[in-house]
């Protein structure tokens, strides 16, 4: 009889544990999945929704282990433009259902790390939320027209020596020629941006050709690095409002122009940057001129001596740059084409 009572007590204990565990699991499942609309995720901001679409394109490419040649096709996948469309917040990211597409993918999950600054903070895990940053002592160095087989590696060594990072806006045809250097840029903790395929004036070639230039370069960069560049810098800074909307990537301009291409003089390059640079600035230089690359060590040392921290464009803009807008500095942005 005693054994029977012990057996029944043990059985009751096991059942209670199972029931509590099941209840906990059910509660947990409710907290890690939530259906939301894109309107909720973005506060009905079309630029934020465009940023989610671009993140979705990269996820499709990565999920299907696609090569660079498939980048053009990913821009043909129909992605949400209707704020009423729904997605699901899961433990690992934003889950989206897709319409029939050439990749034969029915569903993707975009990691939260790729949605920082694109989705409202309250829908993101704390680790992926943006916080207020002080940019009065931050400066972003940017370099256009590379990669150069000799000068870009030299510049990367300088950045590594001084423990700073920069953003490189590369030309697609050069990326195709020197893919290892583009990979080295990212390996050094720097950023890669799109600077067109062969440096035309976007305003003169029209929207269709501009989109082609950008897509072709995105393809080259993805082929070289396995990532799509987040940003575009139009050659000469020229872009129309229609082109800005069609590209669906943030446009990065500058607030300090070194004019290094016109001087080809190291001392002048240093003086131009130092006399104009203030906190929150984006500095334009080129890594295809030996004089410019030679000026960088002194520029870094002098900016650091003034208390500036040298950061990437993403850091300066607090990861909140959105498609359809062009950014001149930390607190200066406008509609693309204006």
């Amino acid at each position: 009889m005693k054994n029977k009572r012990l057996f029944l007590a043990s059985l009751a204990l096991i059942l209670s544990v199972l029931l509590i565990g099941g209840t906990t699991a059910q509660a947990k499942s409710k907290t890690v999945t939530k259906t939301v609309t894109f309107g909720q995720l973005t506060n009905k901001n079309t630029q934020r929704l465009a940023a989610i679409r671009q993140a979705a394109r990269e996820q499709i490419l990565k999920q299907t282990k696609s090569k660079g040649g498939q980048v053009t096709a990913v821009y043909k996948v129909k992605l949400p433009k209707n704020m009423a469309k729904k997605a699901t917040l899961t433990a690992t990211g934003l889950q989206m259902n897709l319409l029939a597409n050439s990749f034969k993918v029915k569903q993707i999950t975009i990691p939260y790390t790729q949605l920082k600054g694109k989705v409202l903070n309250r829908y993101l895990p704390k680790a992926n939320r943006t916080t207020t940053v002080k940019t009065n002592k931050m400066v972003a160095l940017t370099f256009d027209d590379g990669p150069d087989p000799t000068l870009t590696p030299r510049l990367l060594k300088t950045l590594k020596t001084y423990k700073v990072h920069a953003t490189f806006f590369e030309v697609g045809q050069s990326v195709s020629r020197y893919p290892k250097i583009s990979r080295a840029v990212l390996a050094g903790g720097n950023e890669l941006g799109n600077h067109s395929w062969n440096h035309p004036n976007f305003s003169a070639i029209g929207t269709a050709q501009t989109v082609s230039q950008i897509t072709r370069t995105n393809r080259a960069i993805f082929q070289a690095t396995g990532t799509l560049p987040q940003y575009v810098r139009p050659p000469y800074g020229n872009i129309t409002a229609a082109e800005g909307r069609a590209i669906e990537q943030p446009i990065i301009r500058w607030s300090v122009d070194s004019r290094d291409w016109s001087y080809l003089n190291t001392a002048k390059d240093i003086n131009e940057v130092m006399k104009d640079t203030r906190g929150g600035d984006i500095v334009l230089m080129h890594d295809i001129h030996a004089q410019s690359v030679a000026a960088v060590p002194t520029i870094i040392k002098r900016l650091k001596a003034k208390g500036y921290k040298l950061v990437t464009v993403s850091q300066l803009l607090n990861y909140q740059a959105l498609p359809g807008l062009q950014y001149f500095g930390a607190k200066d942005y406008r509609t693309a084409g204006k």
Side-chain angles (χ1 to χ4, degrees):
M1 190 72 176
K2 183 178 180 181
N3 289 339
K4 185 176 181 181
R5 285 199 301 270
L6 286 172
F7 172 77
L8 291 173
S10 298
L11 183 61
L13 179 62
I14 291 170
L15 288 172
S16 66
V17 169
L18 289 173
L19 286 170
I20 292 171
T23 303
T24 303
Q26 287 175 358
K28 185 177 180 182
S29 67
K30 288 180 181 179
T31 61
V32 297
T33 61
K34 180 181 180 180
T35 300
V36 291
T37 66
F38 286 102
Q40 291 174 312
L41 290 171
T42 65
N43 197 28
K44 297 185 178 179
N45 184 308
T46 57
Q47 291 152 342
R48 285 184 182 272
L49 184 52
I52 294 174
R53 287 197 295 270
Q54 185 65 354
R57 293 181 185 109
E58 179 156 11
Q59 185 57 31
I60 291 169
L61 292 170
K62 288 185 175 181
Q63 188 167 311
T64 58
K65 298 180 180 179
S66 296
K67 302 298 182 183
Q70 292 168 280
V71 167
T72 302
V74 84
Y75 284 91
K76 297 179 182 178
V77 176
K78 292 183 178 179
L79 295 170
K81 292 187 178 182
N82 187 330
M83 292 293 180
K85 292 290 185 181
K86 295 179 180 180
T88 304
L89 296 170
T90 72
T92 57
L94 181 67
Q95 189 179 88
M96 297 169 52
N97 294 323
L98 303 180
L99 296 174
N101 57 79
S102 62
F103 292 85
K104 298 181 180 180
V105 175
K106 295 182 179 180
Q107 189 178 81
I108 60 170
T109 300
I110 307 172
Y112 289 120
T113 53
Q114 303 303 313
L115 294 170
K116 184 175 183 178
K118 300 176 176 67
V119 168
L120 297 183
N121 267 349
R122 63 176 174 269
Y123 296 107
L124 295 172
K126 288 184 178 180
N128 303 117
R129 295 176 183 176
T130 57
T131 56
T132 302
V133 297
K134 295 180 179 180
T135 59
N136 60 320
K137 282 297 182 179
M138 296 171 67
V139 172
L141 295 180
T142 66
F143 299 91
D144 286 8
D145 294 355
D148 180 272
T150 302
L151 297 176
T152 304
R154 186 181 303 171
L155 176 57
L156 291 175
K157 287 182 180 179
T158 296
L159 297 176
K160 183 178 180 180
T161 298
Y162 291 98
K163 297 179 180 180
V164 301
H165 299 120
T167 302
F168 291 73
F169 291 94
E170 297 191 333
V171 175
Q173 62 183 7
S174 295
V175 175
S176 292
R177 197 172 296 135
Y178 309 113
K180 289 184 179 180
I181 300 175
S182 295
R183 288 195 288 273
V185 169
L186 292 182
N190 305 288
E191 285 185 321
L192 269 184
N194 184 320
H195 196 43
S196 81
W197 177 255
N198 59 0
H199 213 276
N201 184 337
F202 286 173
S203 296
I205 64 175
T207 301
Q209 284 300 312
T210 294
V211 171
S212 176
Q213 285 269 329
I214 296 304
T215 303
R216 194 175 180 187
T217 302
N218 282 349
R219 183 173 63 197
I221 291 175
F222 188 85
Q223 180 69 36
T225 68
T227 61
L228 285 177
Q230 183 172 354
Y231 306 121
V232 169
R233 173 171 281 168
Y236 316 106
N238 294 335
I239 190 165
T240 66
E243 290 164 350
R245 289 191 299 270
I247 288 172
E248 289 205 341
Q249 291 171 248
I251 307 300
I252 306 300
R253 300 285 294 277
W254 56 87
S255 49
V256 176
D257 186 353
S258 68
R259 292 186 60 80
D260 54 350
W261 57 271
S262 63
Y263 297 123
L264 297 179
N265 181 297
T266 297
K268 284 188 175 182
D269 294 342
I270 295 168
N271 290 337
E272 283 299 312
V273 172
M274 293 310 303
K275 75 181 180 68
D276 292 331
T277 301
R278 303 291 183 271
D281 277 335
I282 298 174
V283 179
L284 169 62
M285 298 185 72
H286 298 79
D287 57 329
I288 59 169
H289 304 307
Q291 298 88 341
S292 304
V293 172
V296 174
T298 301
I299 289 171
I300 290 175
K301 286 186 286 188
R302 291 187 182 180
L303 287 174
K304 280 190 168 186
K306 289 189 173 186
Y308 291 116
K309 181 181 180 181
L310 302 175
V311 298
T312 63
V313 165
S314 287
Q315 290 171 316
L316 185 74
L317 301 180
N318 199 19
Y319 301 92
Q320 297 185 79
L322 297 174
L325 300 176
Q326 55 181 344
Y327 296 81
F328 295 80
K331 298 178 181 178
D332 184 2
Y333 64 91
R334 313 160 205 173
T335 301
K338 295 184 179 179

